[in-house]
Amino acid sequence: MSMQDVINSIEQRYPHQPEFIQAVKEVASTIQVVYDRDPNFAKYKVFERLTEPDRIISFRINWEDDEGNIQINRGWRVQFSNAIGPYKGGIRFHPTVNESILKFLGFEQIFKNALTGLPMGGAKGGSDFNPEDKSDNEIRRFCYAFIRELYHYIGQDMDVPAGDIGVSGKEVSYMFAMYKNLSHEYTGVLTGKGVGFGGSLCRSEATGYGAVYFLQNMLKARNDNIEGKTVLVSGAGNVAVHAAEKALALGAKVITLSDSKGTLYDELGFTQEKIDWVKQQKAARRPLFEYHREFGGLWIPGAKPWQFDGDIAIPCATQNEVTEEDARSMFEHGIRYVVEGANMPLDADAIDYVRAKKMHYAPGKAANAGGVAVSGLEMSQNSVRQYRTFEDVDQQLQIIMRNIHDDAAAAAAEYGFNCDECIDYMSGANIAGYNRVANALIAYGILN
Ligand code: NDP
């Protein structure tokens, strides 16, 4: 079966899973050349095997709201591949969660985790539960109920979930508590736990910091640096605020953050005090438009950040948030570097646009791998029952991000994807990640 045949059959089987199909096509478009070079990939049906999850666990979650009513949500865990390590990937709580979104995220996670160089397979899970309008007690009860259902399918050597949209350290800690309670064991079954009971220092910061470290390597490859650059960030969640914080610390000027309600623009740039205010405001679930009362700036309801002049864009909110029109607006406003902090924030047309314009583009599976990399470090700290310092983890994170950058750049060069002006990180990241997993599958023969 050719790679196109595989895509056709996926489209026929899963016509209602557009995000998953989008992710598969994106990877396929860049690994065809690798696939063609080694007949074993076709013989062992590597791409067919990698595009069908090992299994999907789907379940119902009953929980009780504050009024004593029984509420019902749907939950899933997509265990995509454990070819190179235990299944690993976040849990998302958001009303848009469905099988297509979790399959796209789990599929991306296979290659992302492989890129880190750590022994982690790919998975993703979540629920259509909406934490936004729930009380703290309701969130706690829901987290307990979620793990009560998922409990049998996870474990420190089997499947190690973490946080994602709607799931921060607080929710991970509730889930960890329920797992510990049911299993009578204290193991590192979830990552992103609170520091002091198994969580790693620098885990919360890792995805955003890592994206900026990746950016630093991109700039360095072009004899440039981040100092004095103007940066547009979207989102105001975990990834966004930490990307903004690190960019600021390294001398950049960050002028936007955003959320699902609109965009916050500060032409003077966010200081650490302002970023801390945003963190506190979001943690307390208060609106960002109150910013101007404290610091001035501009709140634009319903808008995205891509209408302002800048050098670098770091989209950190959600999938498909950047359309072709947004990408064009970025280009027209001077943006030349686009670094994906979120998973698949650029839709397929936006990716085509930035590549056609030879903008320097870092795909999420490479640029946002810092979070799962530090989760991997958390797993090893849990296994040996020793903690690393913040500085130690941060330093390791910088090394991992540099390695991911260099591996992606080298793979792109090896297969002839780079041009004079740019490194094709998208092709390079797909190829480097794919090769690691594909070689394991071939070594296993027919299993997995
Ligand atoms: P959070 O829940 O902490 O933050 C998400 C942010 O995105 C919020 O500000 C949210 O706004 C905003 N947002 C969500 N949907 C939309 C939308 N449709 N339009 C505009 N803004 C939106 O999530 P994270 O920061 O953890 O994750 C963000 C992205 O990064 C996701 O794609 C995630 O998969 C990816 N990622 C996260 C990692 C991690 O370690 N956390 C690791 C690797 C990738 P509001 O507050 O209004 O809902």
Side-chain angles (χ1 to χ4, degrees):
M1 225 190 219
S2 73
M3 198 162 290
Q4 189 53 50
D5 291 337
V6 180
I7 292 171
N8 292 344
S9 87
I10 289 172
E11 283 182 315
Q12 273 167 16
R13 243 173 309 138
Y14 305 114
H16 52 292
Q17 298 187 348
E19 294 86 1
F20 174 56
I21 291 168
Q22 181 185 339
V24 169
K25 281 183 170 170
E26 190 260 293
V27 171
S29 69
T30 54
I31 59 164
Q32 180 77 55
V33 50
V34 188
Y35 209 78
D36 291 345
R37 241 190 229 189
D38 184 344
N40 273 327
F41 291 136
K43 180 180 165 199
Y44 284 90
K45 303 206 166 178
V46 170
F47 198 61
E48 285 99 313
R49 288 157 72 182
L50 280 179
T51 46
E52 196 64 57
D54 289 353
R55 67 193 63 78
I56 300 177
I57 299 132
S58 76
F59 48 96
R60 170 170 43 77
I61 305 132
N62 302 344
W63 58 282
E64 202 174 0
D65 68 19
D66 285 345
E67 278 74 51
N69 302 312
I70 294 176
Q71 298 287 345
I72 296 169
N73 283 92
R74 282 133 297 276
W76 296 266
R77 184 72 178 165
V78 180
Q79 295 180 332
F80 230 113
S81 167
N82 66 353
I84 62 164
Y87 300 107
K88 180 90 194 85
I91 300 269
R92 177 176 291 192
F93 291 163
H94 196 270
T96 57
V97 164
N98 57 36
E99 254 186 55
S100 172
I101 290 193
L102 295 178
K103 278 178 71 179
F104 118 63
L105 289 164
F107 181 68
E108 288 277 296
Q109 198 83 43
I110 302 173
F111 307 105
K112 181 190 308 194
N113 293 2
L115 280 170
T116 67
L118 299 172
M120 298 183 289
K124 199 80 187 188
S127 169
D128 56 3
F129 173 76
N130 183 6
E132 191 153 307
D133 55 0
K134 305 298 185 300
S135 71
D136 281 351
N137 282 339
E138 288 174 328
I139 290 173
R140 177 171 40 78
R141 285 198 291 274
F142 180 79
C143 290
Y144 288 168
F146 184 85
I147 287 298
R148 210 173 47 224
E149 298 306 323
L150 191 59
Y151 163 73
H152 297 284
Y153 309 98
I154 59 175
Q156 63 171 345
D157 296 319
M158 189 196 307
D159 183 351
V160 184
D164 191 72
I165 291 179
V167 179
S168 64
K170 182 176 82 174
E171 289 78 14
V172 168
S173 299
Y174 290 146
M175 291 193 260
F176 177 66
M178 182 48 114
Y179 185 88
K180 193 165 69 61
N181 194 278
L182 291 171
S183 64
H184 296 190
E185 276 181 4
Y186 197 104
T187 62
V189 67
L190 286 128
T191 57
K193 302 180 285 294
V195 172
F197 50 93
S200 176
L201 287 162
C202 196
R203 173 59 188 89
S204 314
E205 293 84 354
T207 309
Y209 281 20
V212 175
Y213 294 147
F214 193 93
L215 166 67
Q216 273 189 302
N217 284 286
M218 293 170 81
L219 288 158
K220 194 169 162 214
R222 300 187 49 75
N223 296 319
D224 202 349
N225 69 70
I226 192 171
E227 225 170 300
K229 298 278 188 302
T230 299
V231 181
L232 311 182
V233 176
S234 68
N238 176 273
V239 181
V241 294
H242 291 113
E245 185 171 290
K246 182 51 73 179
L248 169 71
L250 294 174
K253 181 177 172 188
V254 180
I255 57 167
T256 65
L257 288 167
S258 71
D259 67 9
S260 56
K261 314 282 184 308
T263 286
L264 199 53
Y265 168 68
D266 188 331
E267 71 173 331
L268 300 177
F270 290 94
T271 58
Q272 188 61 51
E273 184 197 359
K274 292 171 178 177
I275 295 171
D276 288 343
W277 181 92
V278 169
K279 286 184 195 172
Q280 283 160 15
Q281 197 77 354
K282 291 308 285 184
R285 294 197 246 162
R286 286 194 296 262
L288 289 183
F289 69 73
E290 291 175 354
Y291 183 89
H292 77 274
R293 273 190 231 144
E294 301 284 326
F295 306 106
L298 191 63
W299 168 254
I300 314 164
K304 299 182 190 179
W306 320 124
Q307 54 184 296
F308 299 104
D309 288 348
D311 305 296
I312 297 160
I314 315 184
C316 298
T318 194
Q319 67 273 356
N320 292 331
E321 58 169 304
V322 179
T323 61
E324 183 181 350
E325 198 186 332
D326 297 324
R328 180 174 294 113
S329 182
M330 284 178 183
F331 186 78
E332 286 167 359
H333 285 90
I335 299 290
R336 292 296 178 268
Y337 287 81
V338 182
V339 178
E340 293 189 333
N343 283 313
M344 211 167 75
L346 271 68
D347 72 14
D349 293 337
I351 293 176
D352 288 347
Y353 183 87
V354 300
R355 282 160 66 86
K357 289 289 183 190
K358 298 200 169 12
M359 293 161 85
H360 307 288
Y361 163 62
K365 69 170 71 69
N368 73 30
V372 75
V374 171
S375 277
L377 301 181
E378 181 172 328
M379 288 165 73
S380 49
Q381 291 173 82
N382 291 162
S383 292
V384 297
R385 294 184 167 80
Q386 275 176 7
Y387 293 117
R388 291 174 162 208
T389 63
F390 188 99
E391 291 69 28
D392 183 15
V393 176
D394 188 32
Q395 206 166 37
Q396 191 64 37
L397 172 64
Q398 292 179 49
I399 292 169
I400 290 172
M401 296 314 296
R402 190 182 64 220
N403 290 343
I404 294 174
H405 172 276
D406 293 353
D407 288 352
E414 185 187 341
Y415 286 88
F417 279 104
N418 294 339
C419 62
D420 288 347
E421 303 109 286
C422 61
I423 296 173
D424 184 348
Y425 293 105
M426 178 175 129
S427 301
N430 285 341
I431 292 168
Y434 171 83
N435 272 339
R436 278 182 198 154
V437 182
N439 290 332
L441 288 187
I442 290 171
Y444 294 149
I446 193 168
L447 288 178
N448 261 339

